[in-house]
């Protein structure tokens, strides 16, 4: 596989000159087994002589008015955002994503949160037996609401010849994890059964990473191979709960800004090699030992030190042009550990529950990061970039001790003096509870959507599905130009916010789906699909999940319908 060389190592060197010093998710969910009532002390307002990339003050940013957040929708006069939805398959429980390998079969693979991947063949028939069945491997999921489960799969770019597929799922807490934590996420490699192309050999599993979680929420959970460099990208949430505080969170700065932790980050690894170049991989990050060994774990008083076990050098390699592969930044006294994991590609995320590469253009990486109480965001992610959490929530200042209004002031840099990069879309909760990331449209069914980012909101209710679809149009000239290879060269113009408008679904009674929006995905021909269901959680007793194809507005068979689910018990929060 040919890999595009990207020069990144200079990012943090430049940043140091300037100064030294959110699965779906908006929830304020408090987990159990809390050992401290910590709050985040202010360590912000570090002066930095850098360009402001936060997009604060943009006319397209969301506003805070009358104690509520409001989205600035900006319809394009020459573009009518009308689509049709064609029902392709149904009877799923909680479908999270759909994807298709470039293997010539035309099959669609639907990943269901309850732990199964189902195949929809080229004739639209859902095969009765799962392609991958991890139900016996999962942590026990709450049927009313849960952010754990089987969250994504990704086919190797050479799947046609090597049969490798990767999965991100939530397993029960392993014995090496701190007592009282919630679960252990696995990033695993599987091999398709050589005797049956419609089934994975479950015994072929190789676990590339164990990631222990103190709380059930904020898993991130997305896997994606870059069409440009062939590497595997992994999105990880900040650890869970809310505000980036609590058990397993670095006091004062949180996990997302702590460069010595993998939480709140986008990782980038090479699954085709075990080479680590000049990288010095910490023994406790690659063996089976507990993370608390062989490190200065007492650099912070609380919270309990998180554990993760990675296998760089044995099951995968580190790209030498990862931002911290060969050059370590200054290890600040506020960090939990004394070295930066070389897998880190970008940081400053709350819960990057949706991530996808543009399959055309310049193969840009889009990440939808779930907000806290006020603002949702979509980011264009570049190597070495700091995307702001929990210094900022979207473009707005964030105060973890007062989360119902934007903070009065905050810095435009991270703790290394590097610029904070703002979103290309920021939305309020007038449109719904949490953003659901999608894809840049590169299909043929609706040419009017070409080059626009199609995404939406989960719902405006936790009990009755009422999701919304949105279309974001890039600034004039953006699609023709190439973004810089790394965040260090990013300019305000290149990071300008996009115009966004609601998508009208032909045949519906209004501009909403009338059901929960769960995810998106592409087939091998780059046509775009939408996933929905009618209940708020992974309730295995239900089968309301549907797979829809985006088609021209004249074709709708059938239109989505609203189903009011019966909810038992009390929901413990929505996708923080």
């Amino acid at each position: 596989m040919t890999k595009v060389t990207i020069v990144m190592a200079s990012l943090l060197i430049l940043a140091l000159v300037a100064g030294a010093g959110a699965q779906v998710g908006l929830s304020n969910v408090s987990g159990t087994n809390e050992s401290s009532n910590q709050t985040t002390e202010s360590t912000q307002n570090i002066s930095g002589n850098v360009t402001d990339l936060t997009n604060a003050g943009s006319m397209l940013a969301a506003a805070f008015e009358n104690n509520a957040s409001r989205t600035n929708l900006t319809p394009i006069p020459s573009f009518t955002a009308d689509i049709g939805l064609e029902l392709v398959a149904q009877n799923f429980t909680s479908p999270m994503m759909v994807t298709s390998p470039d293997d010539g079969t035309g099959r669609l693979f639907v990943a269901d949160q309850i732990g199964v991947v189902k195949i929809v063949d080229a004739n639209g028939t859902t095969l009765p037996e799962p392609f991958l069945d991890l139900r016996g491997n999962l942590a026990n999921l709450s049927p009313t609401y849960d952010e754990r489960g089987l969250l994504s799969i990704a086919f190797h770019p050479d799947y046609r010849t090597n049969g490798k597929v990767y999965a991100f799922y939530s397993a029960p807490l392993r014995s090496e994890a701190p007592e009282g934590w919630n679960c252990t996420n696995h990033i695993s490699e599987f091999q398709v059964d050589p005797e049956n192309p419609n089934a994975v050999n479950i015994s072929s599993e190789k676990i590339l990473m164990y990631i222990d979680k103190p709380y059930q929420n904020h898993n991130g959970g997305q896997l994606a191979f870059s069409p440009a460099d062939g590497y595997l990208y992994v999105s990880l949430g900040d650890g869970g709960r809310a505000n980036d505080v609590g058990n397993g969170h670095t006091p004062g700065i949180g996990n997302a800004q702590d460069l010595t932790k993998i939480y709140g980050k986008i990782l980038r690894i090479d699954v085709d090699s075990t080479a680590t170049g000049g990288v010095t991989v910490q023994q406790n990050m690659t063996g089976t030992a507990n993370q608390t060994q062989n490190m200065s774990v007492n650099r912070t008083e609380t919270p309990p030190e998180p554990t993760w076990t990675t296998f760089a050098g044995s099951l995968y390699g580190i790209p030498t042009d990862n931002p911290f592969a060969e050059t370590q930044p200054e290890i600040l006294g506020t960090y939990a550990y004394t070295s930066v994991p070389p897998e880190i590609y970008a940081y400053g995320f709350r819960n990057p529950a949706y991530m996808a590469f543009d399959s055309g253009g310049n193969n840009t990486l889009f990440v939808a990061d779930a907000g806290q109480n006020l603002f949702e965001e979509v980011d264009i992610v570049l190597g070495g970039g700091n995307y702001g959490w929990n210094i900022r929530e979207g473009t707005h200042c964030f105060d973890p001790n007062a989360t119902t209004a934007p903070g009065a002031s905050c810095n435009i840099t991270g703790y290394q003096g590097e610029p904070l990069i703002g979103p290309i879309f920021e939305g309020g909760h007038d449109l719904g509870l949490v953003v659901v990331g999608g894809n840049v449209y590169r299909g043929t069914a609706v040419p009017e959507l070409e080059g626009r980012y199609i995404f939406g909101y989960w719902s405006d209710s936790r009990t009755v599905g009422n999701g919304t679809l949105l279309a974001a149009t890039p600034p004039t000239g953006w699609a023709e130009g190439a973004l810089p290879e790394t965040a260090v060269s990013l300019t305000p113009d290149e990071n300008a916010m996009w115009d966004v408008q609601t998508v009208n679904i032909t045949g519906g009674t209004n501009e909403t789906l009338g059901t929960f929006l769960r995810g998106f995905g592409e087939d091998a021909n780059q046509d775009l699909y939408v996933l929905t269901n009618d209940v708020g959680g992974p309730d295995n007793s239900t089968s309301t999940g549907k797979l829809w194809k985006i088609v021209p507005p004249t074709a709708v068979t059938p239109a989505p319908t609203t189903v009011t689910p019966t909810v038992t018990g009390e929901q413990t929060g929505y996708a923080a």
Side-chain angles (χ1 to χ4, degrees), residues 203-571:
S203 65
S204 68
E205 181 177 18
K206 296 178 181 178
I207 301 176
L208 308 184
M209 297 182 189
Y210 295 94
I211 302 168
D212 302 322
K213 287 287 308 308
Y215 306 98
Q216 66 88 9
N217 59 344
H218 298 196
N219 297 284
Q222 293 299 299
L223 303 176
F225 281 95
S226 167
D229 60 38
Y231 295 130
L232 180 63
Y233 291 66
V234 182
S235 73
L236 299 179
D238 66 9
R241 194 175 179 249
N243 306 326
D244 204 357
V245 302
N247 283 350
H249 294 259
T250 302
I253 65 170
N255 285 344
Q257 292 296 322
D258 187 340
L259 282 173
T260 65
K261 291 185 174 181
I262 64 173
Y263 303 97
K265 312 296 192 295
I266 305 297
L267 311 182
R268 179 182 188 242
I269 63 175
D270 183 357
V271 298
D272 294 325
S273 171
T274 57
T276 60
V279 177
T280 301
V281 180
Q282 295 293 326
Q283 179 63 39
N284 65 307
M285 292 184 185
T286 57
T288 58
N290 189 300
Q291 177 76 4
T292 58
Q293 297 177 7
N294 303 321
M295 228 176 209
S296 300
V297 297
N298 293 321
R299 301 180 77 244
T300 58
E301 296 179 2
T302 59
E305 299 299 334
T307 63
W308 63 86
T309 299
T310 59
F311 291 93
S314 57
L315 295 182
Y316 65 84
I318 302 294
T320 56
D321 53 2
N322 271 9
F324 310 110
E326 296 184 346
T327 303
Q328 291 272 302
E330 179 181 358
I331 303 300
L332 304 179
T334 52
Y335 290 167
Y337 299 119
T338 58
S339 66
V340 175
E343 290 88 349
I344 293 176
Y345 180 76
Y347 56 106
F349 300 96
R350 183 176 181 272
N351 184 23
Y354 296 91
M355 176 174 70
F357 284 94
D358 180 1
S359 56
N362 53 14
N363 301 131
T364 302
L365 178 58
F366 289 80
V367 169
D369 194 15
Q372 182 69 37
N373 292 332
L374 299 175
F375 303 106
E376 306 297 312
E377 68 180 274
V378 175
D379 302 302
I380 289 177
V381 175
L382 300 176
N386 182 345
Y387 290 83
W389 178 253
N390 69 353
I391 298 172
R392 289 176 180 262
E393 181 185 9
T395 70
H396 296 260
C397 293
F398 179 76
D399 181 352
N401 298 309
T403 63
T404 58
S409 64
C410 61
N411 205 42
I412 62 171
T413 72
Y415 301 119
Q416 298 276 356
E418 73 280 22
L420 301 181
I421 301 174
I424 56 125
F425 165 76
E426 180 182 57
H429 287 169
D430 54 331
L431 293 181
L433 297 175
V434 65
V435 68
V436 175
N439 300 73
V440 174
Y441 190 84
R442 299 297 180 185
T444 58
V446 188
E448 294 80 7
L449 298 181
E450 170 68 23
R452 292 180 166 90
Y453 180 71
I454 308 302
F455 66 114
Y457 272 70
W458 180 70
S459 179
D460 61 3
S461 166
R462 300 173 189 244
T463 57
V464 178
N466 195 32
T468 298
L469 293 182
L470 300 167
T473 300
T476 302
W478 185 91
E480 291 75 31
L483 289 171
E485 292 182 333
T486 67
V488 71
S489 303
L490 188 65
T491 67
D493 286 343
E494 291 164 335
N495 194 55
M497 301 189 83
W498 294 25
D499 294 294
V500 174
Q501 62 199 94
T502 55
V503 173
N504 179 54
I505 304 162
T506 306
T509 57
N510 51 43
E511 291 184 336
T512 67
L513 281 167
T515 185
F516 290 100
L517 174 62
R518 302 311 303 249
F520 295 83
E522 287 182 320
D523 62 20
N525 296 320
Q526 300 177 306
D527 278 318
L528 192 58
Y529 294 78
V530 178
L531 295 154
T532 66
N533 76 341
D534 298 333
V535 296
D539 186 346
N540 202 23
S541 68
T542 65
S543 56
T544 64
K546 294 181 177 67
L547 171 66
W548 308 84
K549 183 179 181 180
I550 292 181
V551 296
T554 54
V556 180
T557 53
T561 57
T562 299
V563 175
T564 303
T566 300
V567 179
T568 59
E570 180 180 356
Q571 285 187 248

Side-chain angles (χ1 to χ4, degrees), residues 79-90:
F79 168 56
T80 301
D82 290 342
I83 65 167
L85 289 179
E86 177 185 314
L87 183 63
V88 176
Q90 56 187 329

Side-chain angles (χ1 to χ4, degrees), residues 168-171 183-187 209-213 219:
F168 188 120
Y169 68 92
S170 304
C183 66
T184 299
N185 286 327
H186 291 188
I187 291 92
M209 297 182 189
Y210 295 94
I211 302 168
D212 302 322
K213 287 287 308 308
N219 297 284

Side-chain angles (χ1 to χ4, degrees), residues 97-116:
M97 67 170 299
V98 60
T99 187
S100 180
D102 186 15
D103 64 355
T105 66
R107 296 174 297 173
L108 297 171
F109 294 75
V110 178
D112 200 312
Q113 187 180 1
I114 62 172
V116 296

